[in-house]
Amino acid sequence: MSDLRIRAARPDDLDSVLAFWKTSAEGTSISDDRSGVERLVARDPEALILAEREGELAGTVIAGFDGWRCHLYRLAVHPEHRRQGIGSALLAAAEERFVRLGGRRGDAMVLTRNETAHHAWRAAGYAPEEKWRRWVKPLGD
């Protein structure tokens, strides 16, 4: 995986991110438009994390921190690049960001019907919290 580059999205990446989500992400969001993603990157320039392989977008995750909770959204890996550690690398980068910012637990928005995602999140150490319908993982001590 030495050819994998993890970095924060820049404003000039946003159109390609939106196109990527149409083919690689499960479901849609009300924020899946240029203005929604622009607001995210303007408010928190490190929140949208990209994985690139050979200069091409291979995966994304949004690692939002509101000062109290760590939220994960839009973990998506291109179908041709799945099961190659890209999702794990993105989650590691997100979790490192959370710990650096003082976060103590990450939670993920995961579609109930997306069984494949359930397996991936469990493998990453997250578990469903049925009372809240969130997936959580303690970060740090």
Side-chain angles (χ1 to χ4, degrees):
M1 277 242 291
S2 62
D3 62 336
L4 188 66
R5 180 177 178 221
I6 305 290
R7 66 173 179 85
R10 299 181 300 260
D12 62 337
D13 294 314
L14 303 187
D15 289 331
S16 59
V17 167
L18 288 164
F20 177 83
W21 286 342
K22 286 181 181 178
T23 62
S24 302
E26 179 75 21
T28 58
S29 167
I30 194 168
S31 302
D32 285 358
D33 58 27
R34 184 157 177 93
S35 63
V37 181
E38 281 176 340
R39 278 191 306 278
L40 169 69
V41 172
R43 184 184 177 283
D44 188 350
E46 295 182 355
L48 177 53
I49 302 170
L50 308 181
E52 296 175 324
R53 178 168 276 159
E54 298 177 10
E56 296 294 320
L57 187 56
T60 67
V61 69
I62 297 172
F65 181 63
D66 61 14
W68 183 37
R69 291 190 176 146
C70 307
H71 304 284
L72 294 160
Y73 311 92
R74 280 296 185 224
L75 176 63
V77 176
H78 191 280
E80 294 177 9
H81 296 287
R82 292 183 181 156
R83 304 201 50 81
Q84 298 175 26
I86 294 170
S88 296
L90 284 163
L91 285 177
E95 291 168 2
E96 288 168 14
R97 172 180 171 11
F98 291 153
V99 169
R100 188 173 68 248
L101 294 172
R104 296 166 34 194
R105 178 182 70 186
D107 66 58
M109 298 294 292
V110 182
L111 289 171
T112 305
R113 70 177 185 266
N114 192 344
E115 289 294 325
T116 301
H118 296 185
H119 296 292
W121 284 103
R122 277 191 181 94
Y126 290 76
E129 190 175 80
E130 296 301 331
K131 178 179 176 183
W132 296 104
R133 301 287 178 179
R134 294 184 305 160
W135 294 59
V136 298
K137 176 183 178 182
L139 303 173
D141 318 79

